[in-house]
Amino acid sequence: MDKNISRRTFLATGPLGLVSLRINGLAQTSGVISPQDMVLVNGKIYTMDASKRVVSQVVIRNGRFAAAGNNVAGQAGNLKRIDLKGKTVVPGIIDAHNHIVLVGNRPGWHVLMEDVFTVPDAIKRYQAKVAEVPRGEFITTVGPISAMQFAEQRLPNLSELDAIDRPVYMQAAQGGTQTNSAGKAWLEARGVMVAANGGIAGGGFAGGQTGAALALKLLREQMLTPAARTRNSLEALTYYARLGITTHLDNGAFQSDLPSGGVANENTYTMYNPFLELNAGNRLPARLRFNYLHQDPPDDPKLPTLSQRLKHSYPFFGNAWMKSGGIGEFTGGGVNGLRAIAAAGWRAEDHTLNLDSFRKLVEEREKVNAEIPIKNLHWVISHVPQTTDDLVNRFKAMGGGLLVGWGPLRTGMNVGPAYRTLFDNGIPLGYHSDGGDITAINPWLNFYTMITARNLKGDAVNAGQTLTRQEVLWLATAANKWFVREDDLGSIEAGNRADIAVLDRDFFSVPDEEIKHVQSVLTIVGGKVVHNAAVI
Ligand SMILES: [Zn+2]
């Protein structure tokens, strides 16, 4: 299989007759794909329905599943028939909290490589991109990449990156920032210090005028055109569709009117534009839901931004491909903010990084819940590395839910989340990666950690807190219905939207280490073939 995602694979006319069109001469990656009716047979189809049936056949009509079972192909008449040859099929994966919108808005020709595990393969991935990239423009990877994913436990250095005939800029969630000689020359001419090995200091959440923060700011100022945003947004969604994700719930960015050096910063009012453009052209290869992130100060009852949002926007507004959600991953405004959100009847989500912040969030919600019940609003607390049974039960009593995942790059001992304890508690629990700026989006890297309690390096980081493969898949599919508030996603059953991933290997039986390498060979969203590796 071609390991490089490219427009060639995206536009290839595979056995399913994937149709592509060019619209108004837009970017080469333009492609409108129509839904197709079809019947899939001879699969090992994990439906994740209420009885968790595993069946062999599924019929897709008008973008939805018409039937799933062992003897339903007869209903399909003369529909296009796909022989899955025993492959494992799962419902399209739902990532209930990540930062895909930031990833779409990266400067340069953005290349994702969360499925690359050696430095030489990383170089090859970049080299495969060169032909598309005009001379002088940067090839970039900013955010969801880490030293830990590589066998070498480091990013490529300057001399290795010099094998790529374009300037390269890599800024990793973990493992630093690297460039090559062409990138070094460009950056040094603009005041960025680059070490002899291509390393650039600083970066991360910090803005500022030095090191990687300055480099990222310059790249955004000079290379982040509207066309780049649209191109990179489409590529990002297509890339993750190849890894089986069919629905992303984006959780925003830190607001910055101007191009910033902070990896998590963007203009939170305009960063959806490329996705809106793709949606308007029927070109989204995956579903996008998005929360609005707010950070009004807790001591200002006027809630300058949140009050306007609640007045002038609509929750759960849009179409089946792109739809608004609630407020998150920060609600801002403390109890005042939560009260306003509850009064408006919106969903709210905040994250915790330790036990103190989890306690504070639960207590604030109890205050608000005593005035305005939040029982049916599906309020969420995400990350939850540290929890107690008492606090979890109190949040559960209010009708809240927790999101876990968020683990593959973590280091230390017993760093949480307590996957097993939380799963067994019975509180609504779902899967999120939180990837895009500080960690990985690739679901299989996250699943590996949840199943083995090891980080990507292989270190045990979460003793005793493991889940089974079946449980993890359930969290990332059917359990996430609750978190996106859509009952017709996340399971393969008649009436639901036809979102599936046909896997390249059997997730349920491969050795643990191979879980990290799982990909989809055929991803279908709403009956549209959005990724087809042409191996079936
Ligand atoms: Zn987040």
Side-chain angles (χ1 to χ4, degrees), residues 97 99 329 383 434:
H97 171 146
H99 297 277
E329 102 181 57
H383 306 357
D434 194 34

Side-chain angles (χ1 to χ4, degrees), residues 97-99 251-252 329 351 382-383 406 432 434-435 437-438:
H97 171 146
N98 67 22
H99 297 277
N251 263 262
E329 102 181 57
H351 81 206
S382 47
H383 306 357
W406 191 68
H432 76 325
D434 194 34
D437 44 19
I438 58 156

Side-chain angles (χ1 to χ4, degrees), residues 98-162:
N98 67 22
H99 297 277
I100 187 75
V101 174
L102 275 170
V103 176
N105 282 278
R106 296 307 190 199
W109 294 74
H110 202 241
V111 174
L112 289 159
M113 50 171 82
E114 293 184 57
D115 59 321
V116 171
F117 299 99
T118 68
V119 166
D121 283 346
I123 301 300
K124 277 186 210 146
R125 173 67 55 89
Y126 281 140
Q127 285 173 326
K129 188 75 177 175
V130 167
E132 272 183 71
V133 180
R135 204 159 273 286
E137 294 194 24
F138 268 77
I139 295 177
T140 54
T141 306
V142 179
I145 183 172
S146 66
M148 225 188 254
Q149 79 191 55
F150 296 115
E152 296 86 350
Q153 295 297 305
R154 62 171 177 82
L155 300 183
N157 60 32
L158 178 135
S159 57
E160 290 160 338
L161 291 171
D162 275 349

Side-chain angles (χ1 to χ4, degrees), residues 463-514:
Q465 293 292 345
T466 58
L467 297 174
T468 67
R469 297 177 193 206
Q470 186 89 16
E471 288 167 342
V472 165
L473 184 69
W474 184 77
L475 289 181
T477 56
N480 269 348
K481 292 170 190 279
W482 190 93
F483 291 85
V484 295
R485 298 196 69 165
E486 293 176 59
D487 285 337
D488 61 356
L489 300 179
S491 55
I492 299 172
E493 43 194 322
N496 280 5
R497 297 192 184 278
D499 298 0
I500 60 165
V502 180
L503 305 183
D504 67 345
R505 63 199 81 194
D506 184 10
F507 165 60
F508 295 96
S509 66
V510 294
D512 285 347
E513 286 304 310
E514 262 198 59

